[in-house]
Structure formats: C-alpha cells, structure tokens
Amino acid sequence: MPTKHIDDSTWRKVEKEHVKAVISTQRSLKDTEILKILINKGLEVITEEDYQDFANGKK
C-alpha cells in the first residue's frame, strides 16, 4: 500500500471518526479500514468545485 503523509489536524479528524465508528459498530476496526471508508465516501460526493475551492484557499 502506498504511504502518504497526513497532516496532524486531518489525522485527528480521522481518529475521531475512528472512535465514532467503533462505538457505532461495537467492533474493532483498523485505521486502514476507516481510511478506506472515508476516502471512498469522499470520492462519491466530491465535485470539481470542491477542488477549485481548495485550490483557492477555501475549506
């Protein structure tokens, strides 16, 4: 699997989602599983406008 750097602020958000997922499912989930869910869900909803906003410094 490719390794990429994730900044601390974003990683804290991933960790919070990880905790929510574990509580919700009552199952142990791996970091990689949570990342896969978050990435795939994001890919379903991201638009070209989102990329433009990001490139222009908007969140």
Side-chain angles (χ1 to χ4, degrees), residues 37-59:
I37 292 166
L38 293 171
I39 290 167
N40 284 328
K41 185 63 178 180
L43 289 171
E44 289 177 9
V45 299
I46 197 157
T47 66
E48 288 184 22
E49 183 178 344
D50 294 321
Y51 295 129
Q52 291 296 325
D53 287 347
F54 182 79
N56 293 323
K58 299 178 187 175
K59 286 191 175 189

Side-chain angles (χ1 to χ4, degrees), residues 16-51:
K16 286 180 183 180
E17 288 301 316
H18 192 169
V19 170
K20 285 172 35 179
V22 169
I23 291 169
S24 174
T25 62
Q26 296 293 300
R27 287 187 42 212
S28 176
L29 300 166
K30 296 178 183 178
D31 289 347
T32 54
E33 294 171 316
I34 297 302
L35 285 171
K36 184 177 178 180
I37 292 166
L38 293 171
I39 290 167
N40 284 328
K41 185 63 178 180
L43 289 171
E44 289 177 9
V45 299
I46 197 157
T47 66
E48 288 184 22
E49 183 178 344
D50 294 321
Y51 295 129

